[in-house]
Amino acid sequence: MEIIQNNKTVEEVFHHEYKSDFEYHQPMKTRFYLEPKDCPPLEEVIKQHALPFLPAKSLCRFRAVSKEWNRWISSPFLAHMQTTHFKDISGLLCQSPYSDPSFISFNRDAYSIPSPSLEFLPERVCIRAACNGLVCCQSRNDEFVYYMCNPVTEDWEVLPEPNLCHTPETAIALAFDPTALNFSANYWIVCAVPVTLNGFSVLFFEIYSKSSNSWRVADTICGEPIALNLSRNGFYMKNVVYWKTLTGPVLAFDLKNELYGILPLLSSIESHGAMMQMYGELCYILPQIQDGKCMLNVYGNMAMSLKCVIPLKSEVVGETVSNCRVLTCVNDDMLIILLPRRVIAYHVREQKVELLSEERTEDFETFLPYINSLVTVHR
């Protein structure tokens, strides 16, 4: 099986842009070194250089190793280091329209969360957005209050009331980029809110900033008719948030410059396609059925042109080929694929399938990729 773009294999398709990924190096000769006398103890090396790369669930278990480890793992310094180092998607936060949230873990021992239904929040909620360990929820009552939380640590806070009228259908995206130089978890919530202005429907962009703990309506107004019907959950990547529209094109909002743009895309909002980052760039992957076989069309860059097609063998998706849905991409090469009775990971280059979960998924409407992080919600 091969990835096809004008009859080219995956190596040929991506070699020009990502040739460093395909370079092969000669194995190094074995060398032996004497350990310096002033070398720090192994336990100290593990604490400083290994623990930050572990998932939050594992770190919480390791607090029982010793009092010293408990103090270190409980410190904000380790939480900040782990937030910036651990990037693996740990599972899927899921929810059906009339139920509480649940969590499909890709490794129950390492990635589970204490309360998948988010019972630690003061009321029942709908999950709206997730980014690098943070999860934004919205209450189910008529006030539609926003909550920000970390499901692993059960740390949470309620956000101030927005200036505009937000509903459960308001398009929302969460932007959070943990960096080593930024100790506090500064994040933004971007909402595209429809407003009637002088008899015409337009979109206002209302932004919540953690640093100011307030909402602000951007000066930019979007009057594009095709942008008025958006998907509820947006995608964030490199200072830009994206929402699919009902007719296919994508609405992009530059968070830094507070400007919007329209990206072409020939796919309706009812399709099972999803936006994600793959090989360092924005991609949209849409499963399509051709002659009874499932083909993953990969669209990329700002023109959203077709980059390649990934054929999936029937033994990968089984008899439920029409319900195949790609949710996200992990480490640029592993696609998380949703099927009615299981979740699988497809390693593109190796053309290998890995079973992640056999939980039933057909009743869920919302799927948010989640990273098991120690990120702190409060300052």
Side-chain angles (χ1 to χ4, degrees), residues 76-311:
F77 300 100
L78 190 278
H80 175 63
M81 292 173 63
Q82 191 268 353
T83 302
T84 57
H85 285 79
F86 186 80
K87 303 293 184 181
D88 292 344
I89 293 177
S90 312
L92 302 171
L93 283 167
C94 314
Q95 191 168 20
S96 58
Y98 303 104
S99 66
D100 293 326
S102 61
F103 183 63
I104 298 177
S105 174
F106 294 164
N107 185 323
R108 293 184 181 275
D109 293 333
Y111 296 150
S112 62
I113 59 179
S115 176
S117 61
L118 307 184
E119 294 178 351
F120 57 88
L121 294 176
E123 58 181 318
R124 299 180 68 187
V125 297
C126 294
I127 53 175
R128 297 300 316 274
C131 187
N132 288 318
L134 291 177
V135 179
C136 180
C137 306
Q138 194 174 30
S139 64
R140 292 188 173 188
N141 61 37
D142 294 337
E143 297 179 358
F144 306 123
V145 176
Y146 285 110
Y147 294 92
M148 188 63 64
C149 71
N150 180 339
V152 175
T153 63
E154 299 189 349
D155 184 24
W156 66 274
E157 67 178 355
V158 60
L159 303 187
E161 183 179 356
N163 302 295
L164 302 177
C165 178
H166 294 206
T167 70
E169 302 304 317
T170 299
I172 182 174
L174 174 58
F176 172 49
D177 284 318
T179 60
L181 299 178
N182 192 352
F183 192 80
S184 60
N186 288 330
Y187 59 83
W188 294 263
I189 298 175
V190 186
C191 297
V193 185
V195 176
T196 301
L197 189 65
N198 298 326
F200 295 93
S201 295
V202 296
L203 282 180
F204 279 64
F205 298 97
E206 187 164 17
I207 305 168
Y208 170 82
S209 171
K210 171 62 177 177
S211 59
S212 64
N213 191 35
S214 62
W215 292 86
R216 178 179 58 84
V217 179
D219 295 333
T220 300
I221 301 175
C222 176
E224 304 282 349
I226 61 173
L228 294 178
N229 295 300
L230 301 176
S231 59
R232 296 172 64 249
N233 304 318
F235 174 72
Y236 170 73
M237 175 182 169
K238 298 179 180 178
N239 289 320
V240 181
V241 297
Y242 304 89
W243 295 280
K244 276 192 62 181
T245 65
L246 181 64
T247 54
V250 175
L251 173 64
F253 181 77
D254 187 326
L255 187 56
K256 183 177 181 180
N257 300 305
E258 297 189 359
L259 298 174
Y260 77 88
I262 304 294
L263 279 61
L265 183 63
L266 301 176
S267 171
S268 68
I269 201 171
E270 288 84 5
S271 67
H272 286 174
M275 305 192 73
M276 62 197 68
Q277 181 174 333
M278 189 176 185
Y279 298 111
E281 69 174 53
L282 176 70
C283 287
Y284 179 82
I285 299 185
L286 176 66
Q288 288 190 338
I289 308 303
Q290 297 180 6
D291 300 327
K293 298 181 180 179
C294 184
M295 316 292 287
L296 302 182
N297 293 339
V298 182
Y299 301 88
N301 60 52
M302 292 297 101
M304 281 296 163
S305 57
L306 182 64
K307 292 184 67 67
C308 63
V309 177
I310 305 175

Side-chain angles (χ1 to χ4, degrees), residues 28-33:
M28 296 179 62
K29 294 182 179 180
T30 302
R31 296 186 177 94
F32 297 93
Y33 298 92

